[in-house]
mmCIF file of all heavy atoms in Angstrom:
data_model
loop_
_atom_site.group_PDB
_atom_site.id
_atom_site.type_symbol
_atom_site.label_atom_id
_atom_site.label_comp_id
_atom_site.label_asym_id
_atom_site.label_seq_id
_atom_site.Cartn_x
_atom_site.Cartn_y
_atom_site.Cartn_z
ATOM 1 N N SER A 1 53.822 127.174 38.228
ATOM 2 C CA SER A 1 53.426 128.587 38.268
ATOM 3 C C SER A 1 53.091 129.137 36.891
ATOM 4 O O SER A 1 52.081 129.814 36.687
ATOM 5 C CB SER A 1 54.521 129.428 38.928
ATOM 6 O OG SER A 1 54.740 129.034 40.254
ATOM 7 N N GLN A 2 53.949 128.857 35.915
ATOM 8 C CA GLN A 2 53.724 129.359 34.561
ATOM 9 C C GLN A 2 52.493 128.722 33.929
ATOM 10 O O GLN A 2 51.750 129.373 33.193
ATOM 11 C CB GLN A 2 54.953 129.092 33.681
ATOM 12 C CG GLN A 2 54.888 129.744 32.306
ATOM 13 C CD GLN A 2 54.861 131.263 32.374
ATOM 14 O OE1 GLN A 2 55.712 131.878 33.017
ATOM 15 N NE2 GLN A 2 53.890 131.888 31.698
ATOM 16 N N ASP A 3 52.258 127.457 34.247
ATOM 17 C CA ASP A 3 51.084 126.777 33.704
ATOM 18 C C ASP A 3 49.799 127.423 34.212
ATOM 19 O O ASP A 3 48.861 127.634 33.434
ATOM 20 C CB ASP A 3 51.108 125.299 34.083
ATOM 21 C CG ASP A 3 49.875 124.554 33.572
ATOM 22 O OD1 ASP A 3 49.669 124.521 32.342
ATOM 23 O OD2 ASP A 3 49.113 124.023 34.401
ATOM 24 N N PHE A 4 49.768 127.741 35.500
ATOM 25 C CA PHE A 4 48.589 128.438 36.039
ATOM 26 C C PHE A 4 48.380 129.762 35.306
ATOM 27 O O PHE A 4 47.258 130.101 34.917
ATOM 28 C CB PHE A 4 48.749 128.684 37.538
ATOM 29 C CG PHE A 4 48.387 127.508 38.399
ATOM 30 C CD1 PHE A 4 49.302 126.963 39.289
ATOM 31 C CD2 PHE A 4 47.113 126.950 38.349
ATOM 32 C CE1 PHE A 4 48.964 125.872 40.095
ATOM 33 C CE2 PHE A 4 46.755 125.867 39.148
ATOM 34 C CZ PHE A 4 47.695 125.326 40.026
ATOM 35 N N LEU A 5 49.465 130.517 35.104
ATOM 36 C CA LEU A 5 49.362 131.810 34.429
ATOM 37 C C LEU A 5 48.877 131.633 32.993
ATOM 38 O O LEU A 5 48.020 132.400 32.512
ATOM 39 C CB LEU A 5 50.709 132.526 34.461
ATOM 40 C CG LEU A 5 50.714 133.955 33.909
ATOM 41 C CD1 LEU A 5 49.869 134.879 34.775
ATOM 42 C CD2 LEU A 5 52.141 134.493 33.819
ATOM 43 N N ASN A 6 49.399 130.632 32.298
ATOM 44 C CA ASN A 6 48.998 130.382 30.911
ATOM 45 C C ASN A 6 47.508 130.070 30.800
ATOM 46 O O ASN A 6 46.886 130.320 29.762
ATOM 47 C CB ASN A 6 49.808 129.223 30.333
ATOM 48 C CG ASN A 6 51.279 129.552 30.157
ATOM 49 O OD1 ASN A 6 51.663 130.723 30.159
ATOM 50 N ND2 ASN A 6 52.116 128.528 30.004
ATOM 51 N N ARG A 7 46.910 129.528 31.861
ATOM 52 C CA ARG A 7 45.493 129.177 31.868
ATOM 53 C C ARG A 7 44.612 130.303 32.413
ATOM 54 O O ARG A 7 43.413 130.135 32.579
ATOM 55 C CB ARG A 7 45.292 127.901 32.699
ATOM 56 C CG ARG A 7 45.915 126.658 32.067
ATOM 57 C CD ARG A 7 46.155 125.541 33.087
ATOM 58 N NE ARG A 7 44.925 125.209 33.824
ATOM 59 C CZ ARG A 7 44.920 124.589 35.000
ATOM 60 N NH1 ARG A 7 46.065 124.255 35.581
ATOM 61 N NH2 ARG A 7 43.784 124.300 35.588
ATOM 62 N N GLY A 8 45.218 131.453 32.665
ATOM 63 C CA GLY A 8 44.441 132.612 33.112
ATOM 64 C C GLY A 8 44.335 132.773 34.605
ATOM 65 O O GLY A 8 43.581 133.630 35.095
ATOM 66 N N TYR A 9 45.102 131.968 35.350
ATOM 67 C CA TYR A 9 45.089 132.067 36.807
ATOM 68 C C TYR A 9 46.340 132.793 37.287
ATOM 69 O O TYR A 9 47.286 133.004 36.537
ATOM 70 C CB TYR A 9 45.020 130.665 37.434
ATOM 71 C CG TYR A 9 43.811 129.877 37.009
ATOM 72 C CD1 TYR A 9 43.934 128.785 36.145
ATOM 73 C CD2 TYR A 9 42.540 130.229 37.443
ATOM 74 C CE1 TYR A 9 42.824 128.059 35.736
ATOM 75 C CE2 TYR A 9 41.418 129.512 37.031
ATOM 76 C CZ TYR A 9 41.566 128.431 36.178
ATOM 77 O OH TYR A 9 40.465 127.730 35.777
ATOM 78 N N SER A 10 46.335 133.157 38.565
ATOM 79 C CA SER A 10 47.522 133.786 39.134
ATOM 80 C C SER A 10 48.671 132.785 39.201
ATOM 81 O O SER A 10 48.473 131.615 39.548
ATOM 82 C CB SER A 10 47.221 134.290 40.549
ATOM 83 O OG SER A 10 48.413 134.697 41.196
ATOM 84 N N TRP A 11 49.864 133.251 38.903
ATOM 85 C CA TRP A 11 51.034 132.379 39.048
ATOM 86 C C TRP A 11 51.302 132.062 40.518
ATOM 87 O O TRP A 11 52.035 131.130 40.839
ATOM 88 C CB TRP A 11 52.266 133.002 38.398
ATOM 89 C CG TRP A 11 52.772 134.256 39.073
ATOM 90 C CD1 TRP A 11 52.413 135.538 38.789
ATOM 91 C CD2 TRP A 11 53.756 134.334 40.121
ATOM 92 N NE1 TRP A 11 53.095 136.425 39.600
ATOM 93 C CE2 TRP A 11 53.925 135.710 40.422
ATOM 94 C CE3 TRP A 11 54.490 133.395 40.836
ATOM 95 C CZ2 TRP A 11 54.804 136.154 41.409
ATOM 96 C CZ3 TRP A 11 55.371 133.836 41.832
ATOM 97 C CH2 TRP A 11 55.525 135.197 42.107
ATOM 98 N N GLN A 12 50.675 132.837 41.414
ATOM 99 C CA GLN A 12 50.849 132.605 42.850
ATOM 100 C C GLN A 12 49.882 131.540 43.394
ATOM 101 O O GLN A 12 49.842 131.290 44.597
ATOM 102 C CB GLN A 12 50.679 133.919 43.611
ATOM 103 C CG GLN A 12 51.752 134.944 43.262
ATOM 104 C CD GLN A 12 51.610 136.262 44.000
ATOM 105 O OE1 GLN A 12 50.799 136.405 44.907
ATOM 106 N NE2 GLN A 12 52.407 137.251 43.612
ATOM 107 N N THR A 13 49.113 130.933 42.507
ATOM 108 C CA THR A 13 48.175 129.878 42.903
ATOM 109 C C THR A 13 48.920 128.731 43.596
ATOM 110 O O THR A 13 49.934 128.247 43.087
ATOM 111 C CB THR A 13 47.447 129.335 41.658
ATOM 112 O OG1 THR A 13 46.729 130.403 41.042
ATOM 113 C CG2 THR A 13 46.489 128.214 42.026
ATOM 114 N N ARG A 14 48.389 128.309 44.768
ATOM 115 C CA ARG A 14 48.996 127.189 45.506
ATOM 116 C C ARG A 14 47.987 126.086 45.816
ATOM 117 O O ARG A 14 48.346 125.033 46.308
ATOM 118 C CB ARG A 14 49.550 127.654 46.857
ATOM 119 C CG ARG A 14 50.418 128.860 46.872
ATOM 120 C CD ARG A 14 50.829 129.183 48.305
ATOM 121 N NE ARG A 14 49.684 129.608 49.127
ATOM 122 C CZ ARG A 14 49.770 129.854 50.440
ATOM 123 N NH1 ARG A 14 50.919 129.675 51.068
ATOM 124 N NH2 ARG A 14 48.710 130.264 51.111
ATOM 125 N N MET A 15 46.705 126.401 45.636
ATOM 126 C CA MET A 15 45.628 125.496 46.021
ATOM 127 C C MET A 15 45.598 125.283 47.543
ATOM 128 O O MET A 15 45.257 124.221 48.031
ATOM 129 C CB MET A 15 45.706 124.158 45.287
ATOM 130 C CG MET A 15 45.687 124.278 43.777
ATOM 131 S SD MET A 15 44.370 125.330 43.097
ATOM 132 C CE MET A 15 42.917 124.388 43.519
ATOM 133 N N TRP A 16 45.982 126.322 48.276
ATOM 134 C CA TRP A 16 45.783 126.370 49.717
ATOM 135 C C TRP A 16 44.537 127.211 49.961
ATOM 136 O O TRP A 16 44.365 128.274 49.340
ATOM 137 C CB TRP A 16 46.968 127.024 50.423
ATOM 138 C CG TRP A 16 48.224 126.216 50.477
ATOM 139 C CD1 TRP A 16 48.658 125.295 49.564
ATOM 140 C CD2 TRP A 16 49.223 126.283 51.509
ATOM 141 N NE1 TRP A 16 49.867 124.783 49.952
ATOM 142 C CE2 TRP A 16 50.239 125.371 51.152
ATOM 143 C CE3 TRP A 16 49.366 127.022 52.676
ATOM 144 C CZ2 TRP A 16 51.374 125.176 51.930
ATOM 145 C CZ3 TRP A 16 50.497 126.823 53.454
ATOM 146 C CH2 TRP A 16 51.477 125.908 53.086
ATOM 147 N N ILE A 17 43.676 126.792 50.888
ATOM 148 C CA ILE A 17 42.419 127.507 51.072
ATOM 149 C C ILE A 17 42.614 128.932 51.577
ATOM 150 O O ILE A 17 41.776 129.798 51.320
ATOM 151 C CB ILE A 17 41.447 126.730 51.984
ATOM 152 C CG1 ILE A 17 42.137 126.257 53.265
ATOM 153 C CG2 ILE A 17 40.844 125.550 51.237
ATOM 154 C CD1 ILE A 17 41.224 125.469 54.194
ATOM 155 N N ASP A 18 43.730 129.233 52.237
ATOM 156 C CA ASP A 18 44.021 130.600 52.674
ATOM 157 C C ASP A 18 43.992 131.582 51.493
ATOM 158 O O ASP A 18 43.632 132.759 51.652
ATOM 159 C CB ASP A 18 45.406 130.695 53.313
ATOM 160 C CG ASP A 18 45.702 129.626 54.330
ATOM 161 O OD1 ASP A 18 45.352 128.453 54.078
ATOM 162 O OD2 ASP A 18 46.305 129.944 55.365
ATOM 163 N N ASP A 19 44.419 131.075 50.330
ATOM 164 C CA ASP A 19 44.579 131.931 49.155
ATOM 165 C C ASP A 19 43.301 132.659 48.766
ATOM 166 O O ASP A 19 43.342 133.738 48.167
ATOM 167 C CB ASP A 19 45.035 131.110 47.952
ATOM 168 C CG ASP A 19 46.350 130.389 48.182
ATOM 169 O OD1 ASP A 19 46.969 130.610 49.242
ATOM 170 O OD2 ASP A 19 46.744 129.593 47.313
ATOM 171 N N MET A 20 42.164 132.046 49.086
ATOM 172 C CA MET A 20 40.915 132.624 48.612
ATOM 173 C C MET A 20 40.444 133.807 49.426
ATOM 174 O O MET A 20 39.430 134.422 49.093
ATOM 175 C CB MET A 20 39.826 131.560 48.525
ATOM 176 C CG MET A 20 40.012 130.653 47.307
ATOM 177 S SD MET A 20 39.962 131.553 45.708
ATOM 178 C CE MET A 20 41.710 131.926 45.464
ATOM 179 N N PHE A 21 41.187 134.181 50.444
ATOM 180 C CA PHE A 21 41.063 135.541 50.971
ATOM 181 C C PHE A 21 42.223 136.380 50.456
ATOM 182 O O PHE A 21 42.009 137.504 50.015
ATOM 183 C CB PHE A 21 41.056 135.571 52.505
ATOM 184 C CG PHE A 21 40.864 136.970 53.037
ATOM 185 C CD1 PHE A 21 39.595 137.495 53.179
ATOM 186 C CD2 PHE A 21 41.952 137.778 53.339
ATOM 187 C CE1 PHE A 21 39.405 138.792 53.622
ATOM 188 C CE2 PHE A 21 41.780 139.081 53.791
ATOM 189 C CZ PHE A 21 40.497 139.584 53.935
ATOM 190 N N MET A 22 43.423 135.864 50.507
ATOM 191 C CA MET A 22 44.614 136.636 50.148
ATOM 192 C C MET A 22 44.554 137.173 48.712
ATOM 193 O O MET A 22 44.897 138.318 48.448
ATOM 194 C CB MET A 22 45.880 135.782 50.323
ATOM 195 C CG MET A 22 46.046 135.161 51.683
ATOM 196 S SD MET A 22 46.027 136.367 53.040
ATOM 197 C CE MET A 22 45.854 135.262 54.440
ATOM 198 N N ILE A 23 44.098 136.318 47.788
ATOM 199 C CA ILE A 23 44.012 136.757 46.391
ATOM 200 C C ILE A 23 42.775 137.625 46.162
ATOM 201 O O ILE A 23 42.868 138.704 45.567
ATOM 202 C CB ILE A 23 44.014 135.539 45.441
ATOM 203 C CG1 ILE A 23 45.382 134.841 45.475
ATOM 204 C CG2 ILE A 23 43.672 135.957 44.007
ATOM 205 C CD1 ILE A 23 45.468 133.562 44.656
ATOM 206 N N THR A 24 41.630 137.165 46.633
ATOM 207 C CA THR A 24 40.398 137.901 46.324
ATOM 208 C C THR A 24 40.343 139.254 47.015
ATOM 209 O O THR A 24 39.760 140.199 46.480
ATOM 210 C CB THR A 24 39.145 137.085 46.690
ATOM 211 O OG1 THR A 24 39.171 136.771 48.082
ATOM 212 C CG2 THR A 24 39.077 135.801 45.901
ATOM 213 N N ALA A 25 40.960 139.388 48.192
ATOM 214 C CA ALA A 25 40.912 140.674 48.891
ATOM 215 C C ALA A 25 41.602 141.770 48.083
ATOM 216 O O ALA A 25 41.040 142.852 47.866
ATOM 217 C CB ALA A 25 41.546 140.554 50.276
ATOM 218 N N VAL A 26 42.818 141.491 47.619
ATOM 219 C CA VAL A 26 43.543 142.542 46.898
ATOM 220 C C VAL A 26 42.941 142.789 45.522
ATOM 221 O O VAL A 26 42.850 143.940 45.063
ATOM 222 C CB VAL A 26 45.054 142.209 46.806
ATOM 223 C CG1 VAL A 26 45.319 141.010 45.925
ATOM 224 C CG2 VAL A 26 45.833 143.415 46.313
ATOM 225 N N GLN A 27 42.472 141.734 44.841
ATOM 226 C CA GLN A 27 41.887 141.933 43.515
ATOM 227 C C GLN A 27 40.530 142.634 43.599
ATOM 228 O O GLN A 27 40.197 143.463 42.746
ATOM 229 C CB GLN A 27 41.774 140.590 42.786
ATOM 230 C CG GLN A 27 43.106 139.905 42.513
ATOM 231 C CD GLN A 27 44.044 140.708 41.628
ATOM 232 O OE1 GLN A 27 43.601 141.423 40.722
ATOM 233 N NE2 GLN A 27 45.336 140.614 41.884
ATOM 234 N N SER A 28 39.736 142.313 44.605
ATOM 235 C CA SER A 28 38.460 143.007 44.794
ATOM 236 C C SER A 28 38.698 144.473 45.113
ATOM 237 O O SER A 28 37.987 145.359 44.623
ATOM 238 C CB SER A 28 37.654 142.354 45.924
ATOM 239 O OG SER A 28 37.300 141.025 45.597
ATOM 240 N N GLN A 29 39.704 144.747 45.930
ATOM 241 C CA GLN A 29 40.040 146.132 46.258
ATOM 242 C C GLN A 29 40.518 146.892 45.015
ATOM 243 O O GLN A 29 40.210 148.074 44.831
ATOM 244 C CB GLN A 29 41.119 146.168 47.344
ATOM 245 C CG GLN A 29 40.603 145.897 48.749
ATOM 246 C CD GLN A 29 39.835 147.072 49.310
ATOM 247 O OE1 GLN A 29 38.611 147.184 49.128
ATOM 248 N NE2 GLN A 29 40.515 147.973 49.986
ATOM 249 N N ALA A 30 41.271 146.200 44.169
ATOM 250 C CA ALA A 30 41.729 146.837 42.935
ATOM 251 C C ALA A 30 40.540 147.246 42.071
ATOM 252 O O ALA A 30 40.510 148.339 41.480
ATOM 253 C CB ALA A 30 42.648 145.887 42.169
ATOM 254 N N TYR A 31 39.550 146.376 42.000
ATOM 255 C CA TYR A 31 38.332 146.689 41.238
ATOM 256 C C TYR A 31 37.588 147.871 41.853
ATOM 257 O O TYR A 31 37.156 148.789 41.141
ATOM 258 C CB TYR A 31 37.426 145.467 41.178
ATOM 259 C CG TYR A 31 36.040 145.749 40.635
ATOM 260 C CD1 TYR A 31 35.855 146.148 39.317
ATOM 261 C CD2 TYR A 31 34.920 145.631 41.457
ATOM 262 C CE1 TYR A 31 34.586 146.417 38.822
ATOM 263 C CE2 TYR A 31 33.647 145.886 40.975
ATOM 264 C CZ TYR A 31 33.487 146.286 39.667
ATOM 265 O OH TYR A 31 32.223 146.556 39.172
ATOM 266 N N ARG A 32 37.445 147.868 43.162
ATOM 267 C CA ARG A 32 36.736 148.975 43.827
ATOM 268 C C ARG A 32 37.449 150.300 43.629
ATOM 269 O O ARG A 32 36.817 151.344 43.496
ATOM 270 C CB ARG A 32 36.615 148.671 45.328
ATOM 271 C CG ARG A 32 35.698 147.498 45.656
ATOM 272 C CD ARG A 32 35.871 147.028 47.098
ATOM 273 N NE ARG A 32 35.185 145.752 47.328
ATOM 274 C CZ ARG A 32 35.616 144.788 48.120
ATOM 275 N NH1 ARG A 32 36.754 144.950 48.797
ATOM 276 N NH2 ARG A 32 34.925 143.667 48.261
ATOM 277 N N ALA A 33 38.780 150.255 43.596
ATOM 278 C CA ALA A 33 39.554 151.495 43.472
ATOM 279 C C ALA A 33 39.631 152.003 42.042
ATOM 280 O O ALA A 33 39.702 153.217 41.813
ATOM 281 C CB ALA A 33 40.966 151.278 44.024
ATOM 282 N N THR A 34 39.624 151.094 41.055
ATOM 283 C CA THR A 34 39.835 151.497 39.663
ATOM 284 C C THR A 34 38.600 151.351 38.786
ATOM 285 O O THR A 34 38.557 151.916 37.693
ATOM 286 C CB THR A 34 40.953 150.637 39.035
ATOM 287 O OG1 THR A 34 40.494 149.275 38.939
ATOM 288 C CG2 THR A 34 42.229 150.698 39.863
ATOM 289 N N ASN A 35 37.634 150.543 39.229
ATOM 290 C CA ASN A 35 36.448 150.213 38.431
ATOM 291 C C ASN A 35 36.804 149.420 37.177
ATOM 292 O O ASN A 35 36.008 149.345 36.236
ATOM 293 C CB ASN A 35 35.645 151.471 38.052
ATOM 294 C CG ASN A 35 34.192 151.164 37.780
ATOM 295 O OD1 ASN A 35 33.607 150.282 38.418
ATOM 296 N ND2 ASN A 35 33.591 151.856 36.832
ATOM 297 N N ASP A 36 37.977 148.802 37.178
ATOM 298 C CA ASP A 36 38.414 147.966 36.060
ATOM 299 C C ASP A 36 37.998 146.526 36.359
ATOM 300 O O ASP A 36 38.526 145.888 37.273
ATOM 301 C CB ASP A 36 39.926 148.072 35.899
ATOM 302 C CG ASP A 36 40.433 147.375 34.641
ATOM 303 O OD1 ASP A 36 39.734 146.472 34.133
ATOM 304 O OD2 ASP A 36 41.539 147.720 34.184
ATOM 305 N N LYS A 37 37.082 146.003 35.553
ATOM 306 C CA LYS A 37 36.518 144.678 35.820
ATOM 307 C C LYS A 37 37.537 143.547 35.724
ATOM 308 O O LYS A 37 37.300 142.462 36.246
ATOM 309 C CB LYS A 37 35.362 144.398 34.855
ATOM 310 C CG LYS A 37 34.063 145.107 35.200
ATOM 311 C CD LYS A 37 32.937 144.613 34.300
ATOM 312 C CE LYS A 37 31.600 145.247 34.674
ATOM 313 N NZ LYS A 37 30.504 144.733 33.820
ATOM 314 N N LYS A 38 38.658 143.790 35.063
ATOM 315 C CA LYS A 38 39.610 142.688 34.887
ATOM 316 C C LYS A 38 40.064 142.143 36.238
ATOM 317 O O LYS A 38 40.304 140.936 36.385
ATOM 318 C CB LYS A 38 40.821 143.140 34.076
ATOM 319 C CG LYS A 38 41.827 143.994 34.840
ATOM 320 C CD LYS A 38 43.043 144.346 33.996
ATOM 321 C CE LYS A 38 44.045 145.180 34.801
ATOM 322 N NZ LYS A 38 45.185 145.622 33.975
ATOM 323 N N TYR A 39 40.162 143.027 37.233
ATOM 324 C CA TYR A 39 40.670 142.593 38.530
ATOM 325 C C TYR A 39 39.707 141.618 39.209
ATOM 326 O O TYR A 39 40.087 140.533 39.643
ATOM 327 C CB TYR A 39 40.919 143.802 39.435
ATOM 328 C CG TYR A 39 42.052 144.680 38.976
ATOM 329 C CD1 TYR A 39 41.820 145.955 38.473
ATOM 330 C CD2 TYR A 39 43.376 144.235 39.042
ATOM 331 C CE1 TYR A 39 42.866 146.771 38.057
ATOM 332 C CE2 TYR A 39 44.425 145.044 38.616
ATOM 333 C CZ TYR A 39 44.162 146.310 38.128
ATOM 334 O OH TYR A 39 45.196 147.105 37.705
ATOM 335 N N ILE A 40 38.470 141.996 39.297
ATOM 336 C CA ILE A 40 37.536 141.137 40.036
ATOM 337 C C ILE A 40 37.132 139.907 39.223
ATOM 338 O O ILE A 40 36.844 138.848 39.786
ATOM 339 C CB ILE A 40 36.303 141.945 40.503
ATOM 340 C CG1 ILE A 40 35.642 141.200 41.680
ATOM 341 C CG2 ILE A 40 35.327 142.218 39.359
ATOM 342 C CD1 ILE A 40 34.784 142.064 42.546
ATOM 343 N N GLU A 41 37.153 140.020 37.899
ATOM 344 C CA GLU A 41 36.822 138.860 37.075
ATOM 345 C C GLU A 41 37.894 137.774 37.184
ATOM 346 O O GLU A 41 37.582 136.589 37.238
ATOM 347 C CB GLU A 41 36.638 139.285 35.619
ATOM 348 C CG GLU A 41 35.313 139.961 35.341
ATOM 349 C CD GLU A 41 34.120 139.016 35.466
ATOM 350 O OE1 GLU A 41 34.143 137.940 34.848
ATOM 351 O OE2 GLU A 41 33.185 139.347 36.215
ATOM 352 N N ARG A 42 39.151 138.189 37.231
ATOM 353 C CA ARG A 42 40.184 137.169 37.349
ATOM 354 C C ARG A 42 40.194 136.559 38.757
ATOM 355 O O ARG A 42 40.478 135.365 38.909
ATOM 356 C CB ARG A 42 41.548 137.724 36.954
ATOM 357 C CG ARG A 42 42.130 138.826 37.802
ATOM 358 C CD ARG A 42 43.315 139.442 37.055
ATOM 359 N NE ARG A 42 44.057 140.393 37.852
ATOM 360 C CZ ARG A 42 45.029 141.164 37.349
ATOM 361 N NH1 ARG A 42 45.348 141.077 36.057
ATOM 362 N NH2 ARG A 42 45.680 142.009 38.112
ATOM 363 N N ALA A 43 39.842 137.365 39.771
ATOM 364 C CA ALA A 43 39.710 136.805 41.118
ATOM 365 C C ALA A 43 38.559 135.806 41.166
ATOM 366 O O ALA A 43 38.645 134.764 41.825
ATOM 367 C CB ALA A 43 39.485 137.916 42.134
ATOM 368 N N ALA A 44 37.477 136.118 40.470
ATOM 369 C CA ALA A 44 36.317 135.226 40.443
ATOM 370 C C ALA A 44 36.649 133.919 39.731
ATOM 371 O O ALA A 44 36.241 132.837 40.165
ATOM 372 C CB ALA A 44 35.140 135.918 39.766
ATOM 373 N N LYS A 45 37.386 134.020 38.638
ATOM 374 C CA LYS A 45 37.800 132.807 37.927
ATOM 375 C C LYS A 45 38.664 131.942 38.835
ATOM 376 O O LYS A 45 38.520 130.709 38.881
ATOM 377 C CB LYS A 45 38.581 133.179 36.660
ATOM 378 C CG LYS A 45 39.060 131.966 35.864
ATOM 379 C CD LYS A 45 39.773 132.373 34.572
ATOM 380 C CE LYS A 45 40.242 131.136 33.807
ATOM 381 N NZ LYS A 45 40.887 131.492 32.517
#
């Protein structure tokens, strides 16, 4: 978990395909609500 975070990824990374809705949905919504690009850029990475 810490290694993923150190590389700029979520510490919740599991490499399960479900994650690519679970993570991107909340981060994309954060971007839409705040207009802060950090949220959607990290989801994209």
